[in-house]
Amino acid sequence: MAAEPEPISDDPLDWRGRPIRCRECSHVALNREGLCRKGASCVRDRRARRVDLFFRAHPELADSYLDHAYFEVRARAARFASVMRLTPLVNDPEPEVRAVVCSRLPAARIAPLAKDPEPRVRIAVANRLEGAALLAMYADADYLVRIHVVRRLQPELLAVAAHDEDPEVRRWVARRIPPDRLHLLVTDPEPMVRLVVAERLPDERLHALAHDEDLRVRFTVAERCPKNMLSAFLEDEDELVRACAQTRLDEA
């Protein structure tokens, strides 16, 4: 179901801060037919959402706005324009426009933007590339880019990121790396990484985390481990871990 247009504001402004006057617009005929509306669906509005609603209703007009002076108009038009018209926007001065272009052009055409100065553009590229080109982006200095790379790399390649400097990157590695490689993260310094490992490690290997310093990790081990390991948890320093072990033993 389409989103309801925003209600008309008292005095909508264009991107230069001037009041919008429909009679001065080249789309006045659309306005007269109720096909665009000031303050709701308008290509001249400074609010990106209203520009987006205009192009959703009239995608056939997007090609003619790819060189508009206002970057929000170019960015929204790029979402609906012909792919054949997007190549020049690879060099657009605004990162938001370049990111949209990355989401639509063939991957081979956007590969050079893997070195774009803006992380949001490089993220858009990482979400499109495959294979060796994607793996090369793991060297990116920005952790958010590396997260997107790790989320898309083949699991068999994730060992390369097992010791990433950022814990959130390593958490994604722990979520996706094959179970037989999880030992690379058993001694990770970040408890939330080890917790993911405890949730995925084959149960017969959970003894590696049985004495973890973090309560959440030990509790997860106590929930999943083979029952012949449970008696050791009855002496755990934390009541929750002891109770979990006792409950499982009572159910045996």
Side-chain angles (χ1 to χ4, degrees):
M1 182 175 179
E4 287 293 326
E6 295 181 10
I8 296 177
S9 60
D10 291 334
D11 193 19
L13 303 177
D14 68 13
W15 64 280
R16 289 168 291 193
R18 302 184 307 188
I20 294 172
R21 305 188 191 285
C22 295
R23 63 179 179 273
E24 299 173 355
C25 180
S26 59
H27 302 303
V28 64
L30 292 177
N31 179 258
R32 287 171 179 163
E33 294 180 35
L35 300 177
C36 61
R37 192 155 57 110
K38 181 170 70 172
S41 170
C42 178
V43 74
R44 298 180 64 194
D45 203 294
R46 64 180 178 180
R47 296 183 181 273
R49 173 171 169 74
R50 295 171 186 172
V51 175
D52 187 74
L53 288 172
F54 177 87
F55 286 123
R56 287 184 185 277
H58 309 289
E60 72 282 358
L61 298 176
D63 282 7
S64 61
Y65 280 94
L66 294 176
D67 59 353
H68 194 276
Y70 185 32
F71 79 95
E72 292 284 15
V73 172
R74 298 197 306 276
R76 269 58 195 179
R79 297 177 188 274
F80 300 94
S82 167
V83 172
M84 303 297 292
R85 296 285 307 277
L86 294 181
T87 299
L89 295 183
V90 166
N91 298 312
D92 194 277
E94 286 292 332
E96 184 170 349
V97 178
R98 300 196 302 274
V100 173
V101 171
C102 286
S103 72
R104 299 199 60 211
L105 279 176
R109 304 283 286 277
I110 65 171
L113 291 177
K115 301 295 184 182
D116 192 275
E118 270 290 327
R120 79 183 92 168
V121 178
R122 303 199 302 275
I123 287 172
V125 175
N127 285 326
R128 297 291 312 287
L129 297 185
E130 303 283 349
L134 177 62
L135 180 60
M137 290 196 71
Y138 174 67
D140 197 281
D142 192 286
Y143 84 98
L144 287 174
V145 178
R146 298 199 304 277
I147 285 175
H148 283 263
V149 172
V150 164
R151 287 172 62 177
R152 297 194 62 246
L153 275 177
Q154 293 180 359
E156 295 74 18
L157 299 176
L158 289 176
V160 70
H163 301 293
D164 192 276
E165 64 183 27
D166 189 272
E168 191 57 33
V169 175
R170 300 196 306 274
R171 283 185 72 188
W172 273 103
V173 174
R175 292 181 182 116
R176 300 193 63 240
I177 199 167
D180 63 354
R181 305 305 301 278
L182 279 169
H183 64 275
L184 296 173
L185 295 153
V186 164
T187 59
D188 192 279
E190 172 57 46
M192 296 307 293
V193 175
R194 301 197 304 276
L195 180 60
V196 176
V197 175
E199 292 168 346
R200 296 191 62 225
L201 201 66
D203 56 7
E204 69 274 9
R205 294 167 56 195
L206 284 170
H207 59 83
L209 291 167
H211 301 289
D212 194 275
E213 64 183 25
D214 191 273
L215 156 66
R216 294 164 295 185
V217 175
R218 297 196 311 278
F219 185 87
T220 300
V221 174
E223 283 186 312
R224 298 189 57 236
C225 70
K227 291 192 174 180
N228 60 14
M229 286 178 56
L230 287 172
S231 58
F233 287 105
L234 297 177
E235 304 298 326
D236 193 273
E237 63 185 49
D238 191 273
E239 179 181 358
L240 289 174
V241 177
R242 296 195 303 271
C244 177
Q246 187 64 63
T247 298
R248 289 192 62 203
L249 284 169
D250 291 345
E251 292 172 350

